[in-house]
Amino acid sequence: MNVALIFAGGIGARMRAGAVPKQFLEIYGRPVIVHTLEQFQQHPEIDAILVVILEEYRQEFLRLLDRYELSKVKWVVSGGSTGQESRHNGLKALREACPKDSVVLIHDGVRPLVDEELITANIRSVEAHGTGVTCTKTNETIVVANEPQVTDVIPRDRLWTAQAPQSFVLGEVADIYDRAVSEGITDSIDTCSLYRRYGIPVRMVPGPHTNIKITTSSDYYIARTFFTLVEDAKAFGARAEME
């Protein structure tokens, strides 16, 4: 069984978008979270979807599920006080409902440009290696700074940024989160970092630079531009060059 855990529990503080969380901002007439969910809804190998959402937006989100016929969303779980707690809430619910050997793809609700190829690559990585973390090659120079001085320049030939989906075997990843909480770890940045904290090998899945997370206002406008390229490619039969 292949299930997606979509984390949409953030409040979007860095967006400065008033009272609207970033996952509910619209691009091409659809909320960002709907764009994201549609990629998993339409993927032939995704069997079910769980969404972690802010409790105060549950009813609005349920209306979106009906409106856009997102029938693969089987569970809606309330988020916690941290990203780790929210992901853990979702994993505990999945562990109760799905076989422990299921493949679970943990994905940000505000990464709407994930595509079928990347989802498939994550599933195949877990099937072959037990893990799969989407990574994108760094194309900028990375420096270490003791402000205002640059103290070191890090060679970028081996540097990648970890993104999402981050994909694992359900039973193992749920146990990892249980262990972290039992040891007082409550605010890890992502699942990949927890695996490496415990020395568990993580397999990289190369992904495109278009797979951006909408965190700031500039991210939103960049994502909207990429969506324009996708729509143009559909309309005119051309392949958009977005790498």
Side-chain angles (χ1 to χ4, degrees):
M1 186 175 187
N2 301 318
V3 295
L5 190 167
I6 308 300
F7 168 60
I11 60 173
R14 283 176 284 181
M15 284 292 296
R16 297 182 181 178
V20 181
K22 54 194 174 182
Q23 54 268 34
F24 292 105
L25 294 175
E26 291 193 355
I27 298 177
Y28 275 94
R30 275 174 156 76
V32 169
I33 183 62
V34 171
H35 283 291
T36 303
L37 288 170
E38 285 179 332
Q39 297 303 316
F40 292 90
Q41 170 77 28
Q42 295 163 9
H43 195 286
E45 295 186 57
I46 294 296
D47 300 300
I49 302 169
L50 177 146
V51 179
V52 182
I53 196 76
L54 290 166
E55 183 59 33
E56 55 264 43
Y57 288 94
R58 174 184 289 268
Q59 292 307 312
E60 179 178 349
F61 178 68
L62 292 176
R63 287 192 290 270
L64 292 178
L65 295 184
D66 289 337
R67 179 180 178 184
Y68 293 101
E69 299 181 341
L70 296 165
S71 59
K72 287 187 180 180
V73 178
K74 305 299 184 184
W75 311 277
V76 179
V77 176
S78 297
S81 59
T82 66
Q84 178 181 314
E85 185 179 357
S86 295
R87 293 188 296 272
H88 196 190
N89 287 351
L91 289 169
K92 287 186 289 187
L94 286 178
R95 184 167 53 190
E96 292 296 316
C98 303
K100 290 186 178 181
D101 62 353
S102 298
V103 175
V104 56
L105 295 85
I106 302 173
H107 190 70
D108 303 303
V110 289
R111 282 192 196 272
L113 285 155
V114 63
D115 58 22
E116 180 175 337
E117 182 179 356
L118 185 54
I119 293 170
T120 300
N122 270 260
I123 294 171
R124 296 291 173 267
S125 183
V126 177
E127 290 173 345
H129 308 289
T131 60
V133 172
T134 303
C135 297
T136 300
K137 192 76 174 70
T138 300
N139 56 12
E140 301 281 1
T141 299
I142 305 298
V143 303
V144 178
N146 183 7
E147 295 186 55
Q149 297 296 119
V150 171
T151 58
D152 198 7
V153 177
I154 302 175
R156 66 186 183 190
D157 56 318
R158 296 177 60 192
L159 294 180
W160 297 67
T161 58
Q163 299 185 333
Q166 296 189 4
S167 307
F168 308 91
V169 176
L170 174 58
E172 180 180 63
V173 68
D175 288 347
I176 289 292
Y177 273 79
D178 289 346
R179 178 180 175 182
V181 171
S182 73
E183 296 178 1
I185 302 165
T186 59
D187 198 13
S188 59
I189 191 168
D190 62 6
T191 311
C192 178
S193 65
L194 278 182
Y195 266 62
R196 292 308 304 143
R197 182 184 186 95
Y198 294 123
I200 303 171
V202 175
R203 188 79 173 191
M204 181 182 70
V205 177
H209 287 96
T210 53
N211 183 36
I212 63 172
K213 181 179 179 181
I214 300 177
T215 302
T216 65
S217 297
S218 60
D219 296 331
Y220 171 77
Y221 291 115
I222 291 169
R224 195 165 67 176
T225 299
F226 283 138
F227 270 106
T228 299
L229 293 174
V230 170
E231 293 300 314
D232 287 349
K234 291 177 181 177
F236 301 108
R239 181 178 177 83
E241 296 294 334
M242 301 192 299
E243 296 298 316

